[in-house]
Amino acid sequence: MIGLLGVSIFFSESMGFSAFKVYQLGVMIAFIMRFTGRFGIAETLNNLFLGCGILAIADVVAAFLMPDLVFVPTELRTLRFRGDLIAQTGTVSVIGLILLLTIKSDLPRKKFFFWAVTFGGVLVFSLARTSYLILLAFLILAVLKRPPIPVLRKVATLALLTVPFAADSLITALNAQRKVEDILTISGRLELWTHLIETTLAKGPWFGLGYAAASRIYGPEINPELGTAHSAFVEIYAGGGLVSLVAFLLIWAVLGWAILKLYLSRPGKTGFAIVGLFCASLFLNAVGGELQAEPTGVCFWCVVAAVVYLPFENLSPIAATLRSPLLTTAAQRPQES
């Protein structure tokens, strides 16, 4: 896919920018794959949790000290805690909660409570409808499969039991801050996607109009404030054309099949974390995320790396110590000498 996006550089109206974005994407993927191969899936997810925690705390601190960095006007001319200039609050909070309830579920009670309040508070005040749906889907999957994670089972059951009572208050709060009719247009994204797709079909259906450059050039024609395609799928198609989109969809198909098998096997903490992150990546990439070096993109490529190294690691609830071939080889060297 990186190679196909590289071809789009020659069809771009901003070749230098497209080349940089493809290079940036390639470096990020290579780093995550190398890190996962060297240190294992669990360590990769631990660092993803740490990164989301730092960004969530930065959003909270900025809300009090530099509110212009994290608050944006809403459709109803109120302020929304979105964190655009630091990190999307809805994104980092939902990823952090998924990891907290899985790989970090054995934290000491005070630390667990601190992160639960931090991520939960940021998620609630973000008013991010997509992130709410992600968390709901994750909890439903936990209730249906009941993974061997006591904290997750309890939280999922309790949360789903309280949803009918809290839903009315949450919907009222959302309606006071965001337009209800925007749900049908996904906050204006449908018009943007239609314009980008039609432009790509007219000017470069096979190899696109330059990765990331196309949405920067043609997106503002719909809304001058838009700088991305607000969907990784549309970004790939507009930037790399049909051939790149097919490669991207194949990646998702392979991931989906691997994640389904993992979910049906009733995995432990790390395995169920991967399942949850796949759900988050699917929702976030579909309606707003990017594949570059931002939380949504890092989350997606961490899932890809985890699936690649699944055959080399045992993610059962009982044992989970087998590392990648890179670590195995390194551990055997002293014995061989």
Side-chain angles (χ1 to χ4, degrees):
M1 189 187 75
I2 297 297
L4 293 172
L5 290 177
V7 174
S8 75
I9 296 172
F10 301 101
F11 300 89
S12 175
E13 295 185 28
S14 179
M15 295 179 64
F17 180 72
S18 290
F20 170 74
K21 298 303 287 185
V22 173
Y23 168 77
Q24 181 188 46
L25 182 60
V27 169
M28 186 184 69
I29 296 172
F31 172 79
I32 293 175
M33 296 296 293
R34 175 61 178 168
F35 187 93
T36 306
R38 179 67 178 84
F39 297 104
I41 297 172
E43 187 63 22
T44 298
L45 300 186
N46 280 328
N47 281 274
L48 179 60
F49 174 83
L50 178 61
C52 288
I54 292 173
L55 291 173
I57 291 174
D59 281 333
V60 173
V61 172
F64 293 97
L65 301 181
M66 295 171 286
D68 290 342
L69 293 178
V70 293
F71 284 97
V72 298
T74 67
E75 305 91 343
L76 300 178
R77 297 182 180 179
T78 58
L79 291 178
R80 178 185 166 198
F81 182 44
R82 203 167 69 182
D84 285 3
L85 298 181
I86 295 179
Q88 289 277 343
T89 51
T91 299
V92 295
S93 58
V94 75
I95 294 174
L97 281 173
I98 289 173
L99 293 172
L100 178 66
L101 293 172
T102 51
I103 63 170
K104 291 297 184 180
S105 60
D106 56 352
L107 282 175
R109 183 172 299 179
K110 291 183 178 179
K111 290 184 178 180
F112 184 91
F113 182 75
F114 168 78
W115 287 116
V117 171
T118 300
F119 287 128
V122 171
L123 178 62
V124 169
F125 287 104
S126 71
L127 299 178
R129 293 176 293 218
T130 302
S131 296
Y132 294 163
L133 290 176
I134 292 170
L135 185 60
L136 179 62
F138 173 70
L139 295 177
I140 291 174
L141 289 176
V143 168
L144 292 177
K145 202 61 184 177
R146 298 191 62 78
I149 311 173
V151 171
L152 176 58
R153 294 203 304 267
K154 293 177 182 178
V155 170
T157 303
L158 180 62
L160 292 181
L161 288 175
T162 57
V163 163
F165 303 99
D168 184 62
S169 298
L170 182 59
I171 292 173
T172 301
L174 282 172
N175 292 343
Q177 300 288 330
R178 309 191 64 183
K179 292 182 179 180
V180 179
E181 56 268 24
D182 281 352
I183 296 177
L184 300 177
T185 64
I186 318 179
S187 298
R189 289 180 176 88
L190 288 181
E191 183 182 10
L192 171 65
W193 295 341
T194 300
H195 176 68
L196 289 175
I197 291 171
E198 289 177 349
T199 302
T200 305
L201 283 171
K203 296 187 176 184
W206 295 105
F207 296 102
L209 305 171
Y211 179 61
S215 59
R216 265 68 166 183
I217 295 172
Y218 298 106
E221 293 178 354
I222 295 298
N223 186 336
E225 297 181 359
L226 295 177
T228 69
H230 282 278
S231 170
F233 295 90
V234 178
E235 189 81 72
I236 289 290
Y237 177 66
L242 183 61
V243 290
S244 296
L245 179 62
V246 169
F248 189 49
L249 292 176
L250 285 175
I251 293 174
W252 278 103
V254 173
L255 282 181
W257 179 247
I259 295 299
L260 177 61
K261 292 194 296 184
L262 178 62
Y263 175 70
L264 295 177
S265 68
R266 196 169 181 262
K269 295 178 181 179
T270 305
F272 209 81
I274 297 171
V275 173
L277 293 178
F278 173 80
C279 294
S281 297
L282 182 59
F283 278 88
L284 293 172
N285 277 285
V287 297
E290 292 188 75
L291 296 178
Q292 282 81 255
E294 56 105 30
T296 302
V298 173
C299 177
F300 172 69
W301 295 113
C302 283
V303 173
V304 173
V307 169
V308 169
Y309 286 100
L310 274 175
F312 307 111
E313 299 207 21
N314 184 0
L315 300 183
S316 68
I318 301 175
T321 57
L322 184 62
R323 310 292 270 188
S324 74
L326 294 174
L327 286 184
T328 304
T329 303
Q332 290 175 346
R333 286 174 185 167
Q335 298 178 1
E336 292 175 355
S337 60

